[in-house]
Structure formats: C-alpha cells, structure tokens
Amino acid sequence: MTPLRFLRLAPLLACAPLCLVACNDDDGDDSVLPGAAQFKVMTRNLYLGGNIELLATAQTPQQIPAIAAQLYTTVQATNFPERAKAIADEIQSTNPALVGLQEVSLYRTQSPSDFASNPVPNAQTVTYDFLAILLAELQSRGLNYRAAATVQNADAEVPAALAGNATDLTDVRLTDRDVILARGDVQIANVVTGNYAYAQEVPVGGASIRFLRGFNKLDATVDGARITFVNTHLETLRPGNENQATELAALVNTYDRPLIVVGDLNTGPGAATTGYPTIVGPGTGLVDAWSTVGTGDGFTCCFSETVNDANTDALDERIDLVLYAGDNVNPQSAVVVGTLIDDRTNSGLWPSDHAGLVVEFRVDD
C-alpha cells in the first residue's frame, strides 16, 4: 500500500430512466469495431485513513492506547465522507464498467473497552463504513453501481485513549475489505472470494497481529463480451508480498481468458520485491496495461498519511496496476486519476493516499 507499511490496514449516467448502456463518455471517438465491446475498468485504493504502522512502535501493551488514539484521530481528520465525494466524482467522469476497490475500511467502536478481559474483535458501533458511504455518494449522483463481490481481510481491535485518559478507554475495531463494484448494466456470475494462505505477522505491543489479505474474482458480461475480472491487495512487507504474489499467479492460471486483474499489488517495475515479475510475464501470460498504452511514469503511490500534501511530489511508485491476458483483449488507453490540484476536496484533501488508474479495453469476438 502506501506509507502504511503494515496494513493497507455504475456509473450509468442518468440520461434516461431506462438507459442500459454508457450514456456519456467524453474521451473522444466512441466508435467500436463490429463484434467488439469497449469499456473501462478502474482500480482504487480508498486509504484506510491513518498510518497503522504507528501501532508497531508500541513496545508494551500500556503504550497501545495512546498510539491507537493518535491513529484514530488521523482517521477522523482524513475524513472519508468528504474524500468519498471526490472518488465518486472520478467514477462519474470515467464511467468504468467494473471498479476494484482496496482498503474498503469498516470502523467500529465499543465504550467502555473490554479489551483487557476479551481481546477479540467485538466492537459493533459503526463509525465509518467506507463501502456504504461511497455507494451513497454514487447513488446521490444517479449512478447505478452495486457491490458485486466483497472479501473480508484483516479484522483487528485495540483499546484507544480517545478521551485522553489511560483509564477511560474505547475499543476501536478496523475490518479491512476488498470490493468489486459493478455498473448496473454489467451481468455478474461465478463470484469467488478468498484470503491468501500467507498472512504477515506484525508485532504490536509485545504481541502480534496477523494481517490477512484477500482477492475477489467474478465473471462479467459487458456489452455482450464475457471477461474474468480479479481484484486484489497484496502485502507490502516481505516475505508477504512475494508469497502472496506466488499464490495470485497460481490462482490466475486457473481462470478463463480474457482476464483482467486489478489492484494495489504493492509491487511494480523496479520494486525491491520479486512480486511483480512473478505476476507479470510468461508464467501467467499477464501484461501490464500501463507498459502497453500508458504515457509518463504512471506513479500512483503515495501521499502523506494526512493526504493534504501541497503537490504530487510524494508519488514515486507505480504499484496500482491493471493487468490483462487473452488474445482478444486489447488496452486502448490508461489514465491516472486523482492527481490534479482540482481533484482535492474543498478542505484540501486528496481523494486517497494513492492515485487511481483507469484503463479502457476492447474485447473482440
């Protein structure tokens, strides 16, 4: 993911009441060859809202509540309800048929804390549900998207001194999810969700938390063309990234073509990990769409934890990827979104700590 080095832990434009195809696409020539379907896909890391790496600085259990409170304060300040408006704007303007989302966070709290006697995730009061918030923003624009596949990944809870008092604690629970959004006219079948067998163990306050990562897969029919679509979020740490990349490569080799894989892979060209060459290349047949049709560096990662950077200088990695395989699937264009000054919210927040990536494909008969 991002500077978080532990856990990155449809629209149908309302042209007419019964519009069942993309009504407004301003990219230029909309012509499609006879017998071909043309559509866009997006990958978007929503950013969980704070630097969870801070928890690893706790050397003892007694240090966790103050650090957790600092983390949750940042989550509140990075204001996902506000950022969700900017992400919904991106979806509205690009009109992707399918969107792969990562770090679709669900925050829940419980007060008073019962962590000392029951240290399992059990907080139930929802404070931020990123999926519900984003879907509401899309609906408010008249856009017809649905969550077609959702996988639950890491689910962790810690006590936090939200009141500034070490004896007055609130449990804060973060549940991480990956989600595929499908536009209303896209038909979905054969949904598969799962977690990778390898999960990174991260030390926190003298103990450890096991961070699951996951993937979702479905078969989609877009304008008569059938594709296999996969969304995933790989671990950023080693050896987790390499191990999960190996698992992903094995998975995609069992899936039908044409195949499109999107996600925050936490690896890319020139990365320190070997995840990228494991996933992209002869072993899987997957091709990096940006390397085929992208222009420029294509950097997508990462803004600061407060996502109020004055410029995009912090973006120096290309780890949010759209990959494809199959003789009849051809990328037409690739565009990074969420990096223009005007993309920021009214209070100066970037839509996420990542940029997004939108790729247009043509699938021939």
Side-chain angles (χ1 to χ4, degrees):
M1 154 184 136
T2 158
L4 315 182
R5 298 301 184 189
F6 288 151
L7 174 61
R8 295 213 180 184
L9 236 161
L12 291 179
L13 298 181
C15 320
L18 297 179
C19 181
L20 295 181
V21 295
C23 309
N24 183 12
D25 188 345
D26 299 322
D27 291 313
D29 184 5
D30 291 331
S31 61
V32 179
L33 295 174
Q38 197 153 319
F39 57 89
K40 296 173 184 175
V41 302
M42 171 187 278
T43 183
R44 204 61 174 98
N45 184 310
L46 299 185
Y47 178 43
L48 61 85
N51 184 3
I52 203 165
E53 180 177 317
L54 289 173
L55 289 174
T57 64
Q59 301 300 308
T60 66
Q62 291 73 28
Q63 294 175 332
I64 291 176
I67 295 172
Q70 179 184 348
L71 171 58
Y72 193 65
T73 297
T74 304
V75 170
Q76 294 171 307
T78 55
N79 196 343
F80 184 72
E82 182 178 314
R83 294 192 291 111
K85 297 179 186 297
I87 293 169
D89 287 343
E90 293 174 359
I91 293 174
Q92 181 170 19
S93 65
T94 57
N95 192 30
L98 295 160
V99 183
L101 301 175
Q102 308 88 40
E103 292 189 34
V104 188
S105 304
L106 172 62
Y107 283 97
R108 288 170 282 188
T109 60
Q110 176 177 288
S111 182
S113 168
D114 68 353
F115 189 85
S117 61
N118 187 26
V120 298
N122 64 349
Q124 295 299 323
T125 301
V126 175
T127 53
Y128 299 102
D129 182 340
F130 285 18
L131 179 58
I133 292 167
L134 179 57
L135 286 175
E137 284 296 334
L138 294 171
Q139 184 177 21
S140 73
R141 289 161 171 76
L143 306 179
N144 184 9
Y145 281 89
R146 66 197 186 278
T150 301
V151 63
Q152 179 175 307
N153 302 316
D155 186 21
E157 183 170 316
V158 292
L162 300 185
N165 186 334
T167 62
D168 182 10
L169 302 181
T170 298
D171 289 335
V172 176
R173 179 181 182 184
L174 169 60
T175 306
D176 177 57
R177 300 166 295 181
D178 301 319
V179 176
I180 297 175
L181 299 184
R183 203 173 58 198
D185 59 316
V186 179
Q187 299 175 13
I188 299 301
N190 303 322
V191 174
V192 176
T193 65
N195 298 113
Y196 294 111
Y198 186 90
Q200 195 82 33
E201 294 281 347
V202 179
V204 176
S208 67
I209 297 178
R210 185 171 183 262
F211 286 115
L212 286 175
R213 301 283 190 179
F215 64 92
N216 21 49
K217 167 264 180 188
L218 51 77
D219 295 333
T221 301
V222 188
D223 293 342
R226 180 189 171 281
I227 61 168
T228 305
F229 187 80
V230 177
N231 172 52
T232 191
H233 187 188
L234 301 187
E235 179 58 60
T236 187
L237 297 175
R238 306 179 75 174
N241 186 268
E242 287 95 339
N243 290 342
Q244 291 170 4
T246 299
E247 291 186 55
L248 177 61
L251 282 170
V252 299
N253 279 333
T254 69
Y255 294 154
D256 292 339
R257 271 58 172 166
L259 169 67
I260 297 173
V261 178
V262 308
D264 173 4
L265 301 186
N266 275 312
T267 185
T273 71
T274 60
Y276 183 81
T278 298
I279 300 165
V280 179
T284 61
L286 287 169
V287 180
D288 185 339
W290 187 267
S291 68
T292 305
V293 295
T295 301
D297 54 43
F299 290 157
T300 59
C301 183
C302 290
F303 291 112
S304 69
E305 67 173 310
T306 53
V307 293
N308 60 356
D309 309 50
N311 53 51
T312 61
D313 290 351
L315 299 181
D316 60 2
E317 298 179 279
R318 187 165 74 80
I319 60 176
D320 298 88
L321 307 177
V322 174
L323 315 174
Y324 67 97
D327 294 338
N328 63 333
V329 57
N330 301 287
Q332 304 297 294
S333 65
V335 179
V336 173
V337 296
T339 60
L340 301 178
I341 294 299
D342 288 346
D343 294 331
R344 296 183 301 178
T345 69
N346 290 337
S347 68
L349 300 176
W350 293 99
S352 171
D353 67 333
H354 286 237
L357 179 62
V358 177
V359 176
E360 185 167 15
F361 284 99
R362 190 187 75 237
V363 177
D364 302 318
D365 281 349

